Amino acid sequence: MSAPGGESVALSASFVVFGATGDLAHRKLYPALASLAAESQLPRRLTVIGVARTVMTDEDFATEVHNAVAKAGDGDASGRQNALEQRGVRFRYVNGSFDDDATFRGIADAVSDSEADHGGPGNALYYLATIPQMFGAVAAGLGKVGLAEEGPGIFRRLVVEKPFGNDLESARALDVALHEHFREHQVFRIDHYLAKETVQNILALRFTNTIFEPLWNRRYVDHVQITVAEQLGVEHRGTFYERSGALRDIVQNHLLQVLAITAMEPPASLGANSIRDEKVKVLRSIRPIERSDLRRRVVRGQYTGGRIEGVDVPGYREEEGVASDSAVETYLALELDIDNWRWSGVPFYLRTGKRLPRRVTEIALRYRPVPFLPLPPSAVETVEPNTMVLRIQPDEGITLEFAAKVPGARFRVREVDLDFRYGTAFEERAPEAYERVLGDAFLGDATLFIRGDEVEEAWRVVQPLIDSFEAGEPPVAFYPAGTWGPPEADALLAESYGDTWRAP
Ligand SMILES: NC(=O)c1ccc[n+]([C@@H]2O[C@H](COP(=O)([O-])OP(=O)(O)OC[C@H]3O[C@@H](n4cnc5c(N)ncnc54)[C@H](OP(=O)(O)O)[C@@H]3O)[C@@H](O)[C@H]2O)c1
């Protein structure tokens, strides 16, 4: 099987899941693995080695994986289960703690058994599906038993889940810890947003068409709005969210990655390093928000109790694991400037929140108004400046909003939409984000993974906000669950720009 870049899947490999009993492994990794098996996108000889502290046999582990695939329930679960069996995927389980050298000796034994079975070289893909506090320990443990070393024709890759650090300093420290044993080309940092088809389509839209790119700059674009709205609250993750908040959970990674892809210059190729070179330049060009500008350019919100789709839901402070006086933000709106030739003077408005009316992720490029409208106001029904909306989820697609004449004897104009929908335009199946991530990691295609310098630049952008939030600035504004955030967020756009947030 060949990737678009021409890479081929190795004939044999060990896939080592650190955190084999965890939520991510069960809900995402095992179903993704089975889908890859069904699509013949796995190494022909594969041993999955699960590692965690829970005591289990190899057979128990194999049963857990099969049950997780069945439970995932989307699409053809039994077909995918069968695919794992038909492809002869083997299962091993090593029980032990990641801070114990014996665990890594056990893993080394399992990897060498799998090599003996496969009769192939010792390719290994390690997946850190465990708590972030253990990322450094796992890299060190692998290094100590020689499992980080590549050889001629042998890969050893480390897939790192988010979060990559908790602030600029810890992200740098984690990078140093990983690089003690792994070289940068071996490290695959996940941002599953990049694996979404519609995020990748931004590249196709911009760089394989003639008509969009000339309009993709400060001459025509008035401002850009990027929205990542969630309808869910913190669910059972209150304790985790108290340490994270919207800034670390969404802005530092997903929102800044989407912004970088939207704002980047055309890359030399669609290869991993070309794309990542351009993204990191955008991140470097983001102007840090000064303390004196904070209240004008940042709105920090938290949901109170409210109603969503007719159901009463509690406020954030009433959620399990959340302090009754918590000042953690569940909503964040920011105005960012990109200091470069393409975007100087074009504000990028970013917003994300929990318990908003709908789950939606979209990018809207709002174009400048026409210099002069040769019509009396009575002839204009509803005309907003042209807007191009890239819908990442749900209802993936692109809409171009423009004005058209209303049929009839009088000359009147009204806004209309030109719509492209993925669901109806293509019959091909879009792989789930984790299927893509895992498939690319087996292939060694790093395009959709984040390079170390990108992570660092993203933390550089958000670190001043972390510091200010810890000092209580700006104060938290409250919004009832089921609304589009605090009124202060509307003021952010209206005051700075005289415009409004789009109603997605
Ligand atoms: N869950 C998601 O939807 C999701 C989404 C995006 C990113 N992530 C990221 O994915 C990672 C895993 O998240 P998760 O939700 O799956 O966490 P989780 O359910 O708490 O699972 C953690 C796993 O790590 C193992 N573990 C923890 N400490 C260990 C130790 N000292 N030694 C050996 N094993 C240890 C646990 O197994 P034992 O208790 O059996 O040892 C368990 O298998 C995190 O970095 C998270 O941020 C998760």
Side-chain angles (χ1 to χ4, degrees), residues 24-54:
L24 181 80
H26 281 76
R27 280 194 314 111
K28 299 289 182 186
L29 295 189
Y30 303 145
L33 196 69
S35 298
L36 288 171
E39 301 277 323
S40 303
Q41 290 181 16
L42 286 180
R44 220 169 283 156
R45 295 185 291 275
L46 181 73
T47 303
V48 180
I49 302 171
V51 194
R53 289 166 303 187
T54 304

Side-chain angles (χ1 to χ4, degrees), residues 339-360:
D339 288 332
N340 65 19
W341 273 50
R342 184 184 286 265
W343 296 116
S344 180
V346 179
F348 279 67
Y349 292 100
L350 275 49
R351 69 174 159 168
T352 182
K354 288 194 174 291
R355 287 285 189 225
L356 301 186
R358 286 179 52 206
R359 169 176 171 263
V360 55

Side-chain angles (χ1 to χ4, degrees), residues 273-309:
N273 271 335
S274 294
I275 290 184
R276 300 190 298 178
D277 286 346
E278 297 306 334
K279 281 197 293 162
V280 80
K281 277 197 243 165
V282 173
L283 295 169
R284 266 189 212 126
S285 307
I286 296 176
R287 192 187 309 161
I289 297 182
E290 303 284 341
R291 273 278 170 115
S292 54
D293 259 357
L294 209 63
R295 289 197 180 202
R296 198 177 61 74
R297 299 175 62 187
V298 180
V299 175
R300 199 155 68 109
Q302 190 187 84
Y303 63 83
T304 56
R307 269 177 97 71
I308 293 194
E309 292 188 348

Side-chain angles (χ1 to χ4, degrees), residues 7 194 203 270-272 275-276 279 440 445-450:
E7 307 90 337
L194 294 181
L203 297 172
L270 290 188
I275 290 184
R276 300 190 298 178
K279 281 197 293 162
D440 283 3
D445 180 351
T447 313
L448 305 180
F449 295 85
I450 306 173

Side-chain angles (χ1 to χ4, degrees), residues 18-28 51-55 93 96-99 103 127-132 134-135 161-163 192 237 240 434:
F18 291 92
T21 56
D23 178 65
L24 181 80
H26 281 76
R27 280 194 314 111
K28 299 289 182 186
V51 194
R53 289 166 303 187
T54 304
V55 178
Y93 184 79
S97 180
F98 302 144
D99 45 21
T103 308
Y127 199 111
L128 293 179
T130 187
I131 52 173
M134 283 291 146
F135 290 176
E161 260 299 338
K162 79 166 209 183
H192 73 271
R237 294 164 73 227
F240 155 80
Y434 272 89

